[in-house]
Amino acid sequence: MNASLPAVLGFPHATPPLPAAVIEVAPGVFWLRMPLPFALDHINLWLVADGDGWTQIDCGYGDVATRTLWEAHFATTLAGRPLGRVVATHYHPDHLGNAAWLIERFNCPLVMPQAEFLTAHLVGTAGAGYGTDSICALFRAHGMSDEHLASMQGRGNNYRRGVPELPATFRRLLAGDELEIGANRWRAIGGYGHSPEHAALYCEQLGVCISGDMLLPRISTNVSVWPAEAEGNPLARFLGSLPVFAALPGETLVLPSHGLPFFGAALRVEQLQAHHVARLAELEAAAGAPCTAAELVPVLFRRQLDIQQRFFAMGEAIAHLNYLWHAGRLARTIAVDGTIRFGTAV
């Protein structure tokens, strides 16, 4: 049974590990931090002792800076013990970017959900509505300007910058599956909306949850609509995934992909739920007269956005508007020219 909600999140570590260094956050669980070439400038990775070797959970963006740090960890942190497997919580490049490189180096398997593996290949090869042209067509329908579309088109397949090699094989991880890592068992917790089939990992014996991107301490997880499911409702799926994290024991140490490890999963779930309720109410109020998602982006993001942030902001605005549309709180119309607008439901 959970204890009552704490007033604030608890942070047992005030600072992250230095580059090429680690912090042991629980017995046999080590925290690595790697750089990202974005405004969100880091990702946390988790190395878990596993008998005579290691299990690596998530593996960083596939660029020179990250691989240079990995080489330092090979020489020091791994202490001559190999990676026995790599686990990817989901397909995003900061989580999967070095997977193929690592499993080839150590001749070990990649473990991840099937939907995440397949989506990596769809995005990486621009297949079945996952390419730049499809994304730009979706954003054009939702009112993005020609100038911003041109900037996005000019980036090409940005995913392959972070995932230069796509893994060819994997072992499937399903929600509810248990991985035996060393002397402990880690249960996969399914999460939806941020990505197709995100897998967090919870170890009851250690009182630790590796939450991936499903539960972050300071920022809200991006939840976006993409062309392959243009009328989808990923925000409903994301919010529906949160109660299982709130039900974790109150003393569970949450290890997020971004930010600092923390205690207080139930409080953080409550905060995220309240955040989305407020954002939805603001959008509903702002869309009295029919508006495009592009016109409503400033309601959700009250700051200047770079091209990477604008990409996610548009996807997130559409996700919130689709949620309101599916809930009957806003009406959705499509003009003759294909422009999609949302306004007060009649």
Side-chain angles (χ1 to χ4, degrees):
M1 185 174 181
N2 285 343
S4 58
L5 287 178
V8 295
L9 300 180
F11 294 94
H13 301 277
T15 57
L18 295 172
V22 296
I23 294 173
E24 188 171 13
V25 294
V29 180
F30 296 86
W31 175 16
L32 293 67
R33 179 167 281 199
M34 299 288 189
L36 293 176
F38 314 119
L40 180 60
D41 63 3
H42 71 274
I43 180 170
N44 301 321
L45 311 177
W46 311 100
L47 181 69
V48 185
D50 192 3
D52 294 332
W54 303 93
T55 288
Q56 177 58 46
I57 299 167
D58 288 334
C59 49
Y61 196 78
D63 61 3
V64 172
T66 299
R67 292 187 180 183
T68 299
L69 286 176
W70 266 122
E71 292 289 352
H73 283 294
F74 297 155
T76 57
T77 305
L78 270 61
R81 295 154 57 190
L83 295 185
R85 80 188 121 185
V86 173
V87 179
T89 58
H90 60 299
Y91 81 92
H92 291 163
D94 48 337
H95 299 261
L96 191 67
N98 293 295
W101 180 68
L102 288 172
I103 65 175
E104 180 180 2
R105 183 182 186 114
F106 290 96
N107 191 29
C108 67
L110 169 66
V111 180
M112 65 187 300
Q114 183 178 53
E116 302 294 334
F117 177 83
L118 295 176
T119 303
H121 283 265
L122 287 168
V123 177
T125 59
Y130 282 88
T132 302
D133 289 345
S134 297
I135 292 169
C136 287
L138 175 70
F139 288 177
R140 181 179 294 107
H142 283 279
M144 180 173 267
S145 71
D146 289 342
E147 176 191 358
H148 290 160
L149 287 167
S151 296
M152 206 158 289
Q153 192 79 48
R155 296 196 314 167
N157 192 331
N158 200 49
Y159 184 77
R160 292 306 295 268
R161 292 186 179 89
V163 188
E165 309 98 359
L166 291 167
T169 62
F170 77 114
R171 293 181 182 173
R172 188 175 185 181
L173 181 64
L174 291 164
D177 284 352
E178 290 192 344
L179 296 177
E180 188 173 327
I181 306 177
N184 301 305
R185 300 188 72 83
W186 295 74
R187 174 170 54 86
I189 299 175
Y192 309 93
H194 174 65
S195 68
E197 199 180 5
H198 185 293
L201 293 171
Y202 171 61
C203 179
E204 183 178 8
Q205 296 99 315
L206 294 174
V208 169
C209 178
I210 296 175
S211 63
D213 280 347
M214 287 299 298
L215 209 58
L216 305 176
R218 296 298 191 199
I219 60 175
S220 59
T221 300
N222 178 263
V223 178
S224 289
V225 165
W226 303 118
E229 195 187 6
E231 296 185 355
N233 194 358
L235 182 56
R237 293 196 291 270
F238 176 75
L239 293 172
S241 300
L242 292 179
V244 67
F245 293 98
L248 293 173
E251 66 275 11
T252 300
L253 176 63
V254 180
L255 305 181
S257 293
H258 310 285
L260 300 174
F262 66 96
F263 295 105
L267 174 60
R268 187 58 185 144
V269 167
E270 186 179 79
Q271 292 171 344
L272 288 169
Q273 290 169 333
H275 166 81
H276 286 291
V277 166
R279 297 294 84 76
L280 288 164
E282 290 172 358
L283 277 178
E284 188 176 12
C291 300
T292 65
E295 291 169 330
L296 291 167
V297 162
V299 175
L300 294 179
F301 300 90
R302 303 178 182 94
R303 63 183 188 276
Q304 288 294 112
L305 303 173
D306 62 27
I307 186 172
Q308 177 79 1
Q309 293 166 333
R310 192 178 302 119
F311 172 80
F312 288 115
M314 272 295 289
E316 187 142 350
I318 299 167
H320 281 73
L321 291 164
N322 276 9
Y323 181 98
L324 292 168
W325 169 48
H326 284 290
R329 292 166 59 181
L330 289 179
R332 177 179 179 268
T333 60
I334 305 177
V336 174
D337 65 357
T339 301
I340 298 170
R341 293 183 174 86
F342 296 83
T344 302
V346 178

